[in-house]
Amino acid sequence: MKLYEYQVKELFKNAQIAIPKSQLINNVEQAPAAFSSIGFPCVIKSQVLSGGRGKAGLIQFVKDEKKGLEEVARLFSLPQKISTLLIEEAVDIAHEVYASFTIDPVSGTALSIVSATGGVDIETLAIEQPEKILQTKIDMSLGLQPYQASHIAYECGFDVDIAKKFTQLLLKLYRLFVQYDCELLEINPLFITKSNELVAGDGKCSIDDNSMFRHEDISVPLADIENEAERLAMEEGIPFIQFDGDISLMCAGAGLTTTVYDLINYEGGTVANYLEFGGPHYKKAMKAMEICLKVPSKVILIVTFGTIARADVMAQGIVEAITKLKPDRPIITCIRGTNEIEAVETLKKAGLIPLFDTEEAVRLAVALAKEAKT
Amino acid sequence: MSIFIDRNTRVLVQGITGSEGSFWTNHMIELGTQVVCGVTPSKEGMEVNGIPVYHSVERALRNHEVDASMIFVPPKLTKDAVFEALSNGIKKVVTMADGIPLFDMVAIRHEALKHNAVVIGGNTSGVISPEEAMMGSFPHWIERVYKRGNIGVMTRSGSLTNEVTAMIVKQGYGVSTLIGVGGDPVPATRFAEMLPYYQQDEQTEAVVIIGELGGTMEEEVAEAIEMGIFTKPCVAFLGGRTAPKGQKMGHAGAIITGGKGDVEDKIKALTKAGALVADRPSRVGLLLEQLNVAKK
């Protein structure tokens, strides 16, 4: 689960990592009070989960109230319906640094990634100037040791005062990384101010979804998710991604769904959405179809080949969903796996034509989608 | 001979009394697996299909000799169950749960390496040697999917494995041993770590890798081939070739980041090492034929 910037900064603050003075606003009316408390110049930062906010014009540096109010009004009226803005003091920056923790799957350790060149896209830097990135593996059964953090700080070329502060910051950041089961915890940029203070300018945090039972204090406000299909899927925990193509995927099994996605592209079709209701969700055919029907598409393609996710249970669910939701577009089914013979019977009885070959089902979906367009 | 398990492997089942545990234990026995005992805390004295249940692994081992443990416990309890098996000296463990916290998987991998044990999973269907034995949940009774033969299969997926294996069988081949390393970003055992077993196994004449975008496990296979650790014919099928970059699509382990994990890079690495890569499941069997792998 990705957190909003303001949520990440809240975590930083609680861990005694300095953040700029800031205030959240949810509407234009709250802006003047926020401006008078933060002062000018300041930065207006849209709270959205997508990256590249700067380039998209969603972060604005303003010098006075007139310009500030203009920008606040503009950001709140954008089509993507931004519901929260962070008004933040402009920090006197001398230098920007990058620091993050993630997991290295090969060694099964944590990985500290630090660069004395911050404020840039680290993935671009990794490709263009890999020598500027310092990676350190951390045995998680021991945790980040002070000597490691200190070594990293001096390797970055910081002078003694900054190095000492950076060492402490890295140790705090690692503790937070562990405390919240983060897939990624990042400060970028980390400001080094002209008065030699370290301040987290921006933060990213992605918490491992599988660990959410340990973090009941954390949640992302679902009301902020504008897309109805996406919000429904998130509420159910069903993996879902919307695209703008013609074929809506309602498949089970992550690898199989990804493969069906590829096959559609090979056959010249386009995907309207990725939806995977296998594993723990195989009894949720009704919800899955409800979500798919909220996505504009020409056809719904259902492909499964489950073991624990039993074919008969999914077929039954699909028939119930069709009966109740009365879909306005064709449904193609290719349901196999445990109890597949019963599944075929159920689908036939409901008037569906069960297919048994994935590639045949994909070709039919692509053909129907093309037909519907002409 | 198969690898990892055979008719002689004595299996303990942790979480044997749960609905999945008892259901799949019965299927494991039906296929010929020697399940000797089970463990569920608080259920000692019970029997599941004639298999005695104990409170703890240590208590079970007082009465039984065990070679491997099959773990059917929920994701939250998996780390504890794996640690229990490992600390009791069990060297082969299969753990199925989908949804094990990432940091728990890091700890499990670390502990497995420390104990010099092989832990397979999580987020997997397990291990099966058709007509021999299985640890996990495979619809082994569907003959068009699970037929005995000479093709070793390794996979990160569940449903996709059924799909690809059905295509291998359709082409007239069968499977020696299938190992699902699982779809988590940090699997306890990686593809390349199992290759030496397939190399040694006389029954296995070729290996099929079912991979996907994300991570570097497929590249490690290519490396093992280039280093001569694995010299038998190898065919790969990789899902997510057309997936949008930076998007978590599919398994938790399937995301392209930091310039690594792109399927095109995996294909390049595997092809360079001499493996053949199928662009769709139905091509896997044809490529095995192209490599002159005998059908037996």
Side-chain angles (χ1 to χ4, degrees):
Chain A
M1 186 177 67
K2 280 186 190 167
L3 302 188
Y4 288 99
E5 177 194 4
Y6 73 88
Q7 294 180 297
V8 184
K9 284 188 166 162
E10 197 65 32
L11 295 183
F12 287 161
K13 195 173 148 195
N14 294 338
Q16 268 111 44
I17 292 171
I19 54 170
K21 193 173 151 196
S22 67
Q23 198 159 328
L24 279 180
I25 60 168
N26 300 105
N27 54 50
V28 181
E29 289 70 39
Q30 293 169 343
F35 283 134
S36 68
S37 121
I38 302 299
F40 291 97
C42 69
V43 189
I44 306 171
K45 305 176 89 175
S46 307
Q47 298 301 293
V48 295
L49 292 174
S50 49
R53 287 183 299 171
K55 276 183 200 145
L58 299 180
I59 296 179
Q60 294 295 330
F61 182 87
V62 293
K63 287 183 180 156
D64 55 58
E65 178 145 354
K66 180 173 171 289
K67 183 75 182 144
L69 290 172
E70 261 174 49
E71 281 302 333
V72 167
R74 184 184 71 85
L75 291 168
F76 274 131
S77 62
L78 287 176
Q80 63 246 61
K81 289 187 191 155
I82 292 160
S83 68
T84 310
L85 298 176
L86 187 67
I87 311 291
E88 201 169 76
E89 67 171 325
V91 176
D92 231 356
I93 308 160
H95 188 68
E96 295 184 341
V97 175
Y98 175 95
S100 76
F101 288 98
T102 185
I103 293 290
D104 176 35
V106 182
S107 56
T109 61
L111 192 65
S112 136
I113 304 174
V114 170
S115 174
T117 312
V120 293
D121 174 30
I122 195 74
E123 294 186 5
T124 312
L125 192 68
I127 294 163
E128 288 168 5
Q129 293 174 289
E131 72 284 356
K132 289 201 169 168
I133 296 173
L134 208 63
Q135 297 194 25
T136 312
K137 285 175 188 161
I138 296 137
D139 179 346
M140 292 187 77
S141 63
L142 301 173
L144 177 69
Q145 301 299 307
Y147 79 85
Q148 291 174 305
S150 167
H151 173 74
I152 293 167
Y154 287 107
E155 284 289 289
C156 284
F158 298 140
D159 64 31
V160 175
D161 180 35
I162 301 285
K164 280 184 178 165
K165 286 174 178 161
F166 187 76
T167 303
Q168 289 312 312
L169 176 129
L170 216 51
L171 288 165
K172 286 174 191 167
L173 193 65
Y174 179 77
R175 277 198 290 274
L176 213 50
F177 170 74
V178 173
Q179 187 187 344
Y180 284 98
D181 284 272
C182 301
E183 293 167 334
L184 172 75
L185 182 62
E186 176 186 276
I187 306 180
N188 185 34
L190 171 69
F191 299 138
I192 298 178
T193 65
K194 288 183 179 151
S195 51
N196 272 5
E197 296 305 320
L198 303 189
V199 179
D202 195 357
K204 266 192 202 144
C205 176
S206 174
I207 298 178
D208 168 25
D209 289 329
N210 292 345
S211 76
M212 287 316 293
F213 66 92
R214 297 201 276 241
H215 310 292
E216 279 163 2
D217 54 323
I218 299 261
S219 67
V220 166
L222 287 181
D224 285 4
I225 294 157
E226 179 216 344
N227 182 317
E228 209 185 334
E230 209 170 291
R231 193 176 61 239
L232 266 176
M234 273 189 96
E235 279 167 9
E236 292 293 328
I238 296 176
F240 171 86
I241 309 165
Q242 187 164 335
F243 304 103
D244 53 7
D246 301 327
I247 301 167
S248 175
L249 298 187
M250 180 176 148
C251 301
L256 183 58
T257 312
T258 307
T259 300
V260 171
Y261 180 96
D262 284 342
L263 291 170
I264 287 172
N265 283 316
Y266 296 163
E267 297 294 338
T270 53
V271 176
N273 71 270
Y274 172 105
L275 181 146
E276 196 264 301
F277 76 118
H281 307 296
Y282 79 97
K283 291 175 182 162
K284 295 182 184 168
M286 183 74 77
K287 271 285 166 207
M289 189 166 290
E290 197 185 328
I291 295 165
C292 285
L293 287 171
K294 298 226 181 282
V295 178
S297 74
K298 306 278 185 274
V299 52
I300 295 176
L301 173 59
I302 307 176
V303 180
T304 78
F305 209 143
T307 300
I308 292 178
R310 278 162 45 189
D312 56 332
V313 174
M314 289 194 281
Q316 192 58 44
I318 288 158
V319 168
E320 280 164 21
I322 291 175
T323 313
K324 183 166 176 238
L325 302 170
K326 300 185 179 60
D328 53 355
R329 57 203 92 167
I331 311 269
I332 298 170
T333 59
C334 182
I335 295 172
R336 297 138 308 159
T338 306
N339 296 351
E340 58 191 17
I341 295 166
E342 292 87 331
V344 165
E345 283 311 308
T346 305
L347 295 172
K348 275 186 182 161
K349 257 186 226 160
L352 290 157
I353 303 161
L355 299 178
F356 235 57
D357 181 283
T358 302
E359 289 176 32
E360 188 190 341
V362 166
R363 280 193 295 271
L364 179 62
V366 172
L368 284 182
K370 279 196 181 135
E371 215 170 273
K373 272 180 127 170
T374 52
Chain B
M1 274 308 286
S2 52
I3 65 170
F4 199 77
I5 42 161
D6 57 36
R7 292 256 150 149
N8 301 318
T9 310
R10 293 159 298 185
V11 177
L12 174 153
V13 176
Q14 290 174 260
I16 193 168
T17 58
S19 60
E20 295 296 340
S22 58
F23 180 79
W24 289 106
T25 297
N26 289 343
H27 279 300
M28 281 161 55
I29 296 168
E30 190 183 282
L31 184 67
T33 317
Q34 262 197 64
V35 178
V36 294
C37 57
V39 168
T40 299
S42 84
K43 299 281 168 69
E44 190 163 304
M46 235 182 109
E47 284 191 356
V48 172
N49 200 11
I51 308 294
V53 180
Y54 298 87
H55 288 319
S56 69
V57 171
E58 193 176 332
R59 289 169 75 92
L61 294 186
R62 284 183 196 146
N63 293 308
H64 303 274
E65 287 193 46
V66 164
D67 305 303
S69 177
M70 177 68 229
I71 300 181
F72 287 108
V73 308
K76 288 182 198 180
L77 306 177
T78 294
K79 184 177 88 172
D80 192 48
V82 174
F83 280 18
E84 186 182 5
L86 293 176
S87 68
N88 279 286
I90 299 176
K91 297 294 181 199
K92 291 177 181 178
V93 177
V94 175
T95 186
M96 299 193 53
D98 174 1
I100 302 169
L102 177 68
F103 284 17
D104 290 6
M105 281 309 306
V106 170
I108 288 169
R109 175 155 169 81
H110 187 268
E111 203 65 10
L113 293 173
K114 198 173 95 189
H115 281 89
N116 204 15
V118 179
V119 177
I120 303 288
N123 194 4
T124 175
S125 308
V127 179
I128 182 171
S129 300
E131 295 173 34
E132 190 77 24
M134 78 167 180
M135 288 173 70
S137 59
F138 294 92
H140 64 89
W141 56 90
I142 306 179
E143 278 174 20
R144 69 186 172 83
V145 186
Y146 293 99
K147 195 179 143 232
R148 186 187 173 97
N150 58 354
I151 309 298
V153 178
M154 279 197 286
T155 176
R156 290 167 69 179
S157 217
S159 298
L160 179 60
T161 308
N162 291 338
E163 174 85 32
V164 174
T165 313
M167 292 299 176
I168 296 172
V169 172
K170 195 176 171 189
Q171 210 61 38
Y173 290 100
V175 172
S176 56
T177 300
L178 183 152
I179 295 180
V181 301
D184 281 346
V186 181
T189 295
R190 306 175 68 77
F191 280 158
E193 291 165 333
M194 294 313 292
L195 279 176
Y197 297 94
Y198 282 110
Q199 176 71 17
Q200 273 179 14
D201 179 38
E202 283 173 16
Q203 189 188 342
T204 301
E205 293 184 25
V207 161
V208 169
I209 306 282
I210 305 169
E212 60 182 347
L213 68 158
T216 55
M217 277 207 289
E218 294 79 6
E219 286 87 336
E220 290 154 36
V221 168
E223 216 171 289
I225 296 173
E226 295 221 32
M227 286 166 70
I229 293 167
F230 186 74
T231 59
K232 295 178 184 182
C234 178
V235 171
F237 172 77
L238 308 174
R241 210 186 264 219
T242 62
K245 290 190 185 202
Q247 184 79 260
K248 191 188 272 184
M249 194 166 106
H251 290 112
I255 184 167
I256 309 168
T257 49
K260 282 183 188 164
D262 194 293
V263 174
E264 290 309 322
D265 292 339
K266 293 175 187 296
I267 294 172
K268 243 181 253 166
L270 285 164
T271 310
K272 185 167 163 273
L276 295 185
V277 181
D279 60 352
R280 48 187 80 204
S282 60
R283 295 265 307 152
V284 173
L286 295 169
L287 292 182
L288 286 170
E289 279 182 346
Q290 200 177 312
L291 287 167
N292 293 319
V293 179
K295 291 177 184 173
K296 50 184 167 189

